[in-house]
Amino acid sequence: MYKINKRQIFGFVLLAVFCMVPWVINNTYIIKVISNAMLYSIIALSINLIVGFSGQLDFGRSAFAGLGGYFSAVVFTTYHVPFIIAFIGGALFAAFMGALLGLLCRYSSFDYLTLITIGFSEICRKVFEQWYSVTNGSFGFRTSRPSFFGFKFNSQQSMFYFCLVLLILCYIVIRRITKSKMGRGYKAIRDDEIAAAYSGIDIKNYKMVCFIIGSFFTGIAGAAMVHYTMFAAPTNYTIDESLIMLQMPILGGLGSLPGSIIGASVLTLLPEVSRGFYLYRLLFLGILLVILMRFAPNGLLGRHGIKDQIMDYISERRARNNGKPDKTNAEEKVVTAHGRNHEG
Amino acid sequence: MVIQNLINALSVGSVYALLAIGYNMVYGILEKLNFAHGDVYAVGCFVTYALILTATNPFIAIFTGLVVGFLLNLGVERFAYRPLRKAGRIAPTISAVGIAYIMRNAIQLIWGPETFSFDLKIFKLSHFKVGNTQIGTLQIYILAISIGLMILLSLALKYTKWGQAIVCISQSIPTSELMGIPANRVIALVYGFGATLGVIGGLLFCTYYQMIYIGIGFAYGTMKAWMASIWGGIGSLKGSVIGAMALGISEVFVSSYVSSNFRDAFVWLIFIVFILIWPRGMYPAQISEKI
Amino acid sequence: MGVIMKVENVSKHFAGLKALNKVSLEINDDEIFGIIGPNGAGKTTFFNVISGFNSPTSGKVFFAGKEMTGSNITQFCTRGIARTFQNIRIFSEMTVMENLLVGMHNRIHSTFFGVCMNTRKQRDVEKKAADKAMEIMEYLNIATFANEYAANLSYGTQRLVEIGRALASEPKLLLLDEPSAGMNQQETMELMKLIQGIRKLGPAIIVIEHNMKFMMNLSYRIAVLNFGELLMVDTPKEVQEDPRVIEAYLGKGEEY
């Protein structure tokens, strides 16, 4: 049915190697960090869908992770609902709140959406913090590990696979969405709203649906995180956290799904590399962001991002060394830079 | 009680107004979210604070703070915003987030994350009573300064050459360049003065609450100024003062009549409802999209 | 032959400025209809009003036999209007292929479930759409750029992509806003042949243009707008010779 190409083989090999990680590495700390990076990757993917594809700047993503996480944890622990229902319920709840917010944002423009999402995340955080009877306030809410039909994900290894499967599922669905009519609609809205409207795209509905889908995935990742750490606290869902989440897809490249995973991995692994780094974290991130926006606004893997620029440079050098005339040089550059498909 | 609250609200509002005027100038002209506004002027405020600690003349300290804010924003504009002016809306905003991070971390590394007590030593703080209502002299000063600055700025925009240049640029940058306005220089100046106004606002804020800490930049500066600007109307000086007053009033009244725990949440709620009903603020600037 | 677009007494005022003043027109479904007029005559405003970007201050717009006054752009598009723009508006960060597929938006019927599961039906739909887009690109001679990002193309090619995107939606009425702007003599001639070819494919076409020679050769009928008023509607020959048109363009004879 499917034609298998080189890229896919490479992907499968990479995946197979990655699956071995818990068997090769016995250090639970490393496995924990990698699992965490995978969950953040899902969030980064969902943000990429909202920010990179439909061009809406959302500064309140952590609130949706929190909504999904708290809902799932509370329903699972307090009301003893089966895990799978609580888990999906958390994601659906986040999507529902996303729908509410999206409905509001139908009537407002770009900047307002940004501000409204910040406001929304502040409201959510306050609710998490003050609604003692349900969320246990600022002490945080304790919950337990996921369990499917009697199997409990108690070990780090099993959680690793749980996160991996979740990431793969989310990645496939998001990739399919971006490759479909919907994804093209989002990109069209991002590039030129008026032309998009004249292509028959219902802009307001599309933006809202994008927001809902994004919220669903943020919610599912949030729920997984809470069950993984077995703990939810309002301090995990601040604006600063949202901003960090936002930087992941931006670093990886807006519009590039593999980029989001790389961005999320870099930004979750970096603080773990050295504890002393924490003090200079913001300084480093700040300089990184400014330079990135200046020279490669599309991050590492986005269109004409750092990867493309390096490839361009290499092919240009190679062409020059071969002594080709200038014209072919330029043509080759175009082909190497843009002949590939970046969302794959 | 209501009158006392109203007076408190007005003075909180006038502090926010100062922050918002500087913010709204940049916002109105370039329609770019300046996410770093607060953190840039916070550096200016901390410089003033540091100089006052070394027993420098307060006026010199304030002046130095203003200059630092001004120069800092000039530099930021040159390196982080100017190259991105044509790059859509997401890139400049993210760049501004980067600047905000740098500034915040710089403050944290130099002065630390603690809250310090703050006193400018130029205002004689006293209170007097009108009936049952207590009014601080500082509250009157702050109100006077913010309204004075607003009037001064509106006049400057209307009657000076530079002011008119700014108005032109807010309409169209390419056209103003064709008319011989040095757009880059004017925009840089707007950013500079925006930060200067921010420092003034920040200092008054610190004086009013008698403390200074790292959060004056983002939590109070950028967010409140941004809210006030949108509440009042993007690009309108009068709007930013009125929006700031509305913000101050809702904060004070929510915390005294509804719940002080939920103050911020409620104010956000009011704000969101408000901008959904009046999406262009109370004094909207005329913007229309062209094909 | 039938009437595809009917405009009755349409006016559009912008804060006192009468951009359009009581314009009435009927456009047949088998013609290339030209609109000319000096700068600021309200030509683009006319396009905006008949395609839903602005709703008219007064008057009625009928399209394909249905009153569409006050409908939004999406409703007009779904009903069969497509347009190009005076300043090119393409999706610059998308490939040419994607640009055309976006144009086909309302012709692609996929369900959310189908997308997530990547069902056979969904794949077929996408495949068919891609084939159709390829066909259009071949017709316009831009098939070589199919996987090229639109931002990297030359001005003339971008124009073609814009036209291609409009065609992809299988419109009943195609609005072209100054399609030959920025083109040289030869390119303009090619464009003229292209537009004539497109007319034979089906859609009625309305063109706004400044290039008189181009318009006179292309249009079946021409409407002349001046300060928002409709001066006349007639064949190119009549329009060319009418003193009112000459006056609108060159001013009154006595003043010189």
Side-chain angles (χ1 to χ4, degrees):
Chain A
M1 209 56 223
Y2 294 103
K3 275 183 206 155
I4 293 176
N5 60 24
K6 254 185 192 169
R7 275 180 77 115
Q8 276 165 326
I9 295 172
F10 179 71
F12 278 121
V13 171
L14 203 71
L15 194 64
V17 171
F18 198 64
C19 283
M20 306 284 275
V21 166
W23 298 101
V24 179
I25 299 170
N26 285 323
N27 187 339
T28 49
Y29 173 72
I30 292 177
I31 293 176
K32 207 168 159 183
V33 170
I34 295 177
S35 308
N36 206 19
M38 287 195 281
L39 293 179
Y40 269 109
S41 297
I42 301 175
I43 292 186
L45 286 171
S46 73
I47 295 176
N48 202 344
L49 194 64
I50 294 172
V51 181
F53 281 86
S54 83
Q56 311 177 74
L57 195 55
D58 182 342
F59 275 6
R61 270 295 100 186
S62 66
F64 290 92
L67 287 170
Y70 266 107
F71 186 89
S72 178
V74 168
V75 167
F76 182 53
T77 308
T78 316
Y79 299 102
H80 307 291
V81 172
F83 173 75
I84 185 77
I85 296 175
F87 187 60
I88 302 291
L92 287 176
F93 181 65
F96 172 72
M97 295 307 279
L100 273 186
L101 198 63
L103 207 61
L104 298 181
C105 294
R106 281 173 71 101
Y107 303 102
S108 57
S109 66
F110 181 87
D111 301 355
Y112 293 8
L113 178 85
T114 313
L115 195 53
I116 287 178
T117 50
I118 293 179
F120 180 75
S121 80
E122 279 294 286
I123 293 172
C124 285
R125 194 173 59 83
K126 263 281 173 291
V127 171
F128 297 151
E129 202 177 281
Q130 302 288 341
W131 198 7
Y132 285 104
S133 55
V134 174
T135 65
N136 200 23
S138 43
F139 300 114
F141 188 84
R142 297 207 164 274
T143 180
S144 47
R145 281 278 164 82
S147 59
F148 282 110
F149 310 110
F151 179 78
K152 223 163 171 337
F153 288 82
N154 273 331
S155 68
Q156 290 293 343
Q157 275 83 357
S158 61
M159 269 321 279
F160 178 90
Y161 289 116
F162 178 81
C163 300
L164 185 63
V165 169
L166 195 66
L167 171 61
I168 292 173
L169 284 179
C170 291
Y171 182 86
I172 290 175
V173 172
I174 290 179
R175 182 163 182 275
R176 281 178 180 168
I177 290 174
T178 59
K179 290 272 179 201
S180 73
K181 166 184 168 174
M182 285 163 94
R184 286 193 297 271
Y186 299 146
K187 286 202 272 184
I189 292 171
R190 173 197 68 190
D191 280 2
D192 192 325
E193 284 200 14
I194 290 173
Y198 271 109
S199 304
I201 295 168
D202 189 340
I203 294 183
K204 284 179 174 168
N205 267 339
Y206 257 66
K207 280 186 173 174
M208 194 173 90
V209 171
C210 181
F211 206 73
I212 295 171
I213 297 173
S215 303
F216 178 85
F217 287 111
T218 318
I220 214 162
M225 269 177 194
V226 166
H227 285 292
Y228 183 36
T229 54
M230 298 184 278
F231 186 65
T235 46
N236 292 342
Y237 307 114
T238 57
I239 296 179
D240 286 324
E241 183 69 14
S242 296
L243 287 176
I244 297 273
M245 288 174 178
L246 182 65
Q247 284 153 26
M248 294 169 180
I250 286 172
L251 175 65
L254 289 176
S256 157
L257 296 184
S260 296
I261 295 179
I262 293 179
S265 310
V266 170
L267 287 185
T268 35
L269 297 184
L270 218 52
E272 309 289 343
V273 172
S274 111
R275 287 284 156 194
F277 175 71
Y278 189 79
L279 202 58
Y280 301 92
R281 188 179 52 120
L282 288 181
L283 193 63
F284 174 79
L285 280 179
I287 293 171
L288 182 78
L289 284 181
V290 172
I291 291 177
L292 204 64
M293 286 301 117
R294 178 88 151 79
F295 296 104
N298 284 335
L300 292 169
L301 299 186
R303 190 181 94 80
H304 209 67
I306 289 173
K307 184 183 149 212
D308 281 357
Q309 289 182 15
I310 292 172
M311 293 303 236
D312 281 3
Y313 180 75
I314 291 172
S315 67
E316 211 170 298
R317 278 294 290 271
R318 200 175 290 160
R320 202 178 296 150
N321 289 344
N322 291 346
K324 281 183 191 166
D326 271 11
K327 206 181 165 194
T328 31
N329 202 347
E331 276 169 16
E332 199 174 85
K333 185 176 156 190
V334 167
V335 171
T336 46
H338 311 294
R340 290 180 304 270
N341 211 337
H342 291 282
E343 283 81 47
Chain B
M1 191 60 192
V2 176
I3 296 170
Q4 179 69 58
N5 276 332
L6 199 64
I7 288 185
N8 290 343
L10 284 182
S11 41
V12 172
S14 42
V15 174
Y16 290 157
L18 277 170
L19 304 176
I21 289 173
Y23 188 84
N24 209 353
M25 252 172 68
V26 177
Y27 198 16
I29 287 166
L30 296 169
E31 289 166 36
K32 293 264 159 69
L33 301 177
N34 187 358
F35 221 75
H37 179 73
D39 294 285
V40 169
Y41 79 63
V43 175
C45 295
F46 267 96
V47 167
T48 305
Y49 163 75
L51 285 175
I52 286 176
L53 279 191
T54 59
T56 322
N57 179 329
F59 287 101
I60 294 175
I62 292 171
F63 183 73
T64 320
L66 297 183
V67 171
V68 166
F70 184 84
L71 293 179
L72 207 54
N73 228 12
L74 282 193
V76 167
E77 195 273 339
R78 180 69 191 79
F79 290 107
Y81 300 155
R82 192 181 297 177
L84 297 173
R85 211 177 282 155
K86 293 194 182 91
R89 311 199 74 163
I90 291 181
T93 313
I94 300 301
S95 191
V97 171
I99 295 292
Y101 276 2
I102 296 172
M103 298 299 160
R104 209 178 304 165
N105 206 319
I107 293 175
Q108 199 180 346
L109 289 177
I110 301 172
W111 288 284
E114 299 90 351
T115 304
F116 308 97
S117 74
F118 185 85
D119 185 7
L120 263 187
K121 294 176 186 159
I122 54 171
F123 296 113
K124 280 215 179 73
L125 299 182
S126 61
H127 296 276
F128 58 89
K129 275 197 163 187
V130 181
N132 249 341
T133 321
Q134 200 180 37
I135 302 173
T137 43
L138 184 65
Q139 291 177 320
I140 293 174
Y141 287 139
I142 290 176
L143 191 64
I145 291 175
S146 62
I147 289 178
L149 269 175
M150 181 198 85
I151 293 170
L152 209 64
L153 268 176
S154 326
L155 291 178
L157 277 182
K158 214 165 195 175
Y159 296 109
T160 65
K161 192 176 131 193
W162 286 97
Q164 283 296 298
I166 291 171
V167 175
C168 286
I169 282 172
S170 74
Q171 306 274 328
S172 158
I173 296 175
T175 315
S176 352
E177 271 174 340
L178 288 175
M179 296 296 121
I181 295 168
N184 281 338
R185 207 179 300 166
V186 174
I187 290 173
L189 277 178
V190 170
Y191 270 102
F193 277 113
T196 313
L197 287 171
V199 177
I200 298 176
L203 289 175
L204 287 176
F205 178 91
C206 296
T207 317
Y208 186 70
Y209 290 105
Q210 297 174 3
M211 52 118 187
I212 184 166
Y213 81 116
I214 201 164
I216 60 163
F218 183 74
Y220 289 95
T222 311
M223 289 324 301
K224 308 276 173 179
W226 189 2
M227 283 166 89
S229 301
I230 286 187
W231 207 324
I234 297 166
S236 153
L237 291 179
K238 191 165 64 172
S240 40
V241 173
I242 305 245
M245 292 298 175
L247 190 61
I249 289 171
S250 27
E251 278 192 357
V252 170
F253 277 75
V254 164
S255 57
S256 56
Y257 292 109
V258 186
S259 151
S260 55
N261 264 340
F262 277 106
R263 188 192 78 180
D264 285 347
F266 262 99
V267 171
W268 272 111
L269 207 61
I270 296 171
F271 173 75
I272 289 175
V273 169
F274 181 88
I275 64 172
L276 288 171
I277 300 172
W278 285 281
R280 304 217 137 169
M282 289 190 265
Y283 293 93
Q286 294 287 332
I287 309 163
S288 71
E289 194 149 15
K290 271 198 147 179
I291 286 195
Chain C
M1 191 188 103
V3 174
I4 183 86
M5 167 69 74
K6 192 168 138 200
V7 176
E8 271 182 15
N9 278 325
V10 160
S11 302
K12 178 71 198 173
H13 300 176
F14 291 109
L17 174 78
K18 288 178 181 171
L20 283 178
N21 197 8
K22 295 198 171 150
V23 174
S24 299
L25 272 177
E26 280 187 8
I27 289 127
N28 299 324
D29 62 4
D30 60 351
E31 68 177 336
I32 299 176
F33 190 89
I35 297 176
I36 59 171
N39 282 327
K43 300 184 298 281
T44 297
T45 309
F46 181 72
F47 266 18
N48 290 349
V49 167
I50 64 170
S51 63
F53 185 80
N54 297 127
S55 55
T57 314
S58 66
K60 287 175 179 171
V61 179
F62 296 88
F63 175 60
K66 194 183 161 205
E67 183 172 355
M68 299 286 281
T69 320
S71 304
N72 63 26
I73 299 172
T74 317
Q75 284 159 330
F76 269 100
C77 287
T78 323
R79 196 121 181 97
I81 271 193
R83 83 175 272 186
T84 66
F85 300 87
Q86 202 171 339
N87 310 314
I88 297 180
R89 285 180 176 273
I90 48 169
F91 307 120
S92 47
E93 307 265 302
M94 298 167 77
T95 63
V96 173
M97 177 61 118
E98 286 176 312
N99 263 278
L100 264 71
L101 288 174
V102 170
M104 252 176 249
H105 193 79
N106 283 331
R107 310 275 161 206
I108 300 176
H109 300 284
S110 41
T111 58
F112 186 66
F113 178 79
V115 169
C116 293
M117 292 294 137
N118 201 16
T119 53
R120 176 187 290 241
K121 200 173 151 229
Q122 162 71 10
R123 273 177 279 156
D124 285 350
V125 166
E126 287 284 327
K127 179 86 179 36
K128 243 179 230 159
D131 288 346
K132 172 104 190 303
M134 208 61 205
E135 218 171 87
I136 294 171
M137 281 189 274
E138 268 157 17
Y139 180 74
L140 295 171
N141 263 332
I142 49 174
T144 42
F145 304 112
N147 290 320
E148 186 74 64
Y149 280 98
N152 302 334
L153 300 174
S154 71
Y155 184 84
T157 320
Q158 289 188 342
R159 277 260 176 238
L160 290 178
V161 173
E162 212 187 9
I163 293 174
R165 188 183 64 204
L167 280 182
S169 67
E170 298 173 25
K172 293 190 188 114
L173 177 62
L174 180 60
L175 312 177
L176 302 174
D177 198 344
E178 302 201 16
S180 82
M183 286 187 174
N184 63 28
Q185 190 79 28
Q186 197 208 335
E187 286 169 331
T188 311
M189 285 301 124
E190 279 167 17
L191 180 73
M192 200 163 86
K193 281 190 197 112
L194 178 70
I195 295 175
Q196 280 161 345
I198 291 171
R199 171 66 274 285
K200 292 201 183 84
L201 291 178
I205 297 172
I206 308 182
V207 191
I208 291 178
E209 198 38 88
H210 276 298
N211 186 336
M212 279 299 158
K213 203 176 145 206
F214 179 80
M215 284 304 254
M216 296 302 159
N217 289 326
L218 186 67
S219 321
Y220 303 3
R221 289 193 299 155
I222 288 180
V224 186
L225 284 174
N226 191 27
F227 294 113
E229 309 249 2
L230 184 65
L231 275 189
M232 64 182 305
V233 186
D234 219 323
T235 58
K237 197 162 172 295
E238 298 292 324
V239 166
Q240 223 163 357
E241 287 163 3
D242 196 283
R244 284 173 298 171
V245 177
I246 297 167
E247 186 192 305
Y249 270 88
L250 300 175
K252 277 200 178 99
E254 298 90 7
E255 288 174 10
Y256 293 93

